[in-house]
Amino acid sequence: MDKQKLNIGLSLELMNNTSKEVNLGTFKSFMSNVKDAGKYLGEKLNGEGLNGREWKNQTYTLNYENCSLNVEMLASTNSESKIVKGFKFQ
């Protein structure tokens, strides 16, 4: 599995996303098209901490048979808004 190609593909997917909402489903949708990743095994919230009064940091791991995807997001404490901070394949 070429992680560089996955990074580029996922980056393009996020940039071309026409909806205003990006969530874990966006990442799962992309990964469902990556046959080398294997079967989806589940997700895990690894950590959550406050980043000021209005935002909290969240770190998730999406597990697949052949790789894992770590996703960092900022989530609003006042609404359901989320912003992607970054992602990394392992």
Side-chain angles (χ1 to χ4, degrees):
M1 180 179 328
D2 188 345
K3 291 180 184 176
Q4 184 176 9
K5 285 184 182 179
L6 287 174
N7 277 321
I8 292 169
L10 184 50
S11 295
L12 289 172
E13 178 82 15
L14 292 171
M15 287 189 305
N16 292 326
N17 186 354
T18 57
S19 73
K20 293 181 181 181
E21 185 73 25
V22 174
N23 53 38
L24 291 180
T26 307
F27 291 93
K28 290 177 195 176
S29 176
F30 172 80
M31 292 299 289
S32 69
N33 296 320
V34 179
K35 293 183 182 182
D36 288 344
K39 181 181 171 186
Y40 175 70
L41 302 176
E43 68 188 59
K44 177 182 171 188
L45 176 62
N46 296 326
E48 188 172 66
L50 288 177
N51 184 5
R53 292 182 183 175
E54 297 180 20
W55 295 93
K56 56 185 171 183
N57 288 316
Q58 296 177 328
T59 306
Y60 294 91
T61 299
L62 303 178
N63 293 305
Y64 295 84
E65 287 177 319
N66 300 320
C67 69
S68 294
L69 174 60
N70 293 331
V71 179
E72 290 183 70
M73 301 182 103
L74 282 176
S76 172
T77 57
N78 300 328
S79 68
E80 294 182 20
S81 298
K82 291 188 178 187
I83 299 170
V84 176
K85 285 179 61 177
F87 61 88
K88 183 177 180 179
F89 288 95
Q90 293 188 345

